[in-house]
Amino acid sequence: MDLENKETLESFLPEEKEISIEPPNAPVVSVEPNAGKEPRPVQKWWHIDKPMIRFKLHYFLLTGALGSVLPFIAVIAKNRLKLSATSFATVLVFEQFLFVFTKPAIGYITDYLNKLKTVLCIVAVGQGLFLFILLLLPRHT
C-alpha cells in the first residue's frame, strides 16, 4: 500500500474519542476483599465444635466397636445360624443394596425434620439393639 492510499484510508476513520461508561457522581466501590468490614478472627485448623463433641466422640467409639465386632458376624452366622459362605455372602450383598436406599432416606428425613441429633441418636440406638439381638439368636442344631 502506498503512502497516498494510507492517508486517504485514515481520513475515513472516525476520530478517537474518550468514552466514559461511568455515570456522573458514581459511588466509589473498593475492589479490595473485606473492605469496610471488621476483620473476622481466623479459625485454627484444629477448632473443636463444642456442641457436637459428644456425638463425635460417640461415633468415634462406635466405629471402633464396630471394627471389632463386624469380623465376628460371619462366625456368628456360621455357628449359630448354620449359614453357608454363599448364603452369608448373599445376605451381605443384599445389605449393600439396602444401604443404597436407606442412607438417602435417612438423610431426607433428617433434612425434612431438621433434627440431626435426634435422628443420629435413633439410628445409633437402633443399630446397637439389632447387634445385641444377634447375640440372642438361638443356636441352630
Side-chain angles (χ1 to χ4, degrees):
M1 198 184 258
D2 62 351
L3 186 62
E4 190 175 297
N5 286 338
K6 193 172 186 180
E7 289 175 359
T8 308
L9 183 63
E10 287 178 358
S11 65
F12 287 110
L13 294 175
E15 294 179 20
E16 292 183 18
K17 294 181 181 177
E18 193 171 312
I19 299 173
S20 174
I21 47 178
E22 292 183 18
N25 300 327
V28 177
V29 178
S30 174
V31 292
E32 293 181 25
N34 299 328
K37 295 181 182 176
E38 293 182 21
R40 287 189 324 190
V42 177
Q43 280 188 342
K44 306 285 187 202
W45 63 270
W46 47 266
H47 173 73
I48 297 173
D49 187 10
K50 290 182 182 169
M52 291 293 287
I53 191 71
R54 293 178 302 167
F55 290 99
K56 290 179 181 183
L57 181 64
H58 169 76
Y59 277 101
F60 176 75
L61 296 174
L62 177 70
T63 305
L66 285 176
S68 64
V69 169
L70 290 180
F72 294 106
I73 289 192
V75 175
I76 292 171
K78 182 181 177 195
N79 293 340
R80 291 197 182 212
L81 303 176
K82 300 295 183 197
L83 288 178
S84 66
T86 55
S87 59
F88 184 65
T90 306
V91 169
L92 290 180
V93 168
F94 183 68
E95 177 188 42
Q96 294 302 318
F97 282 114
L98 279 178
F99 286 164
V100 169
F101 298 110
T102 56
K103 288 187 178 192
I106 291 170
Y108 176 77
I109 291 168
T110 302
D111 290 342
Y112 183 76
L113 297 176
N114 201 16
K115 304 268 185 189
L116 176 65
K117 291 181 181 180
T118 306
V119 173
L120 287 178
C121 284
I122 291 170
V123 169
V125 168
Q127 187 176 17
L129 285 174
F130 284 114
L131 286 173
F132 183 71
I133 289 172
L134 278 176
L135 295 174
L136 299 178
L137 290 174
R139 291 183 184 264
H140 190 333
T141 56

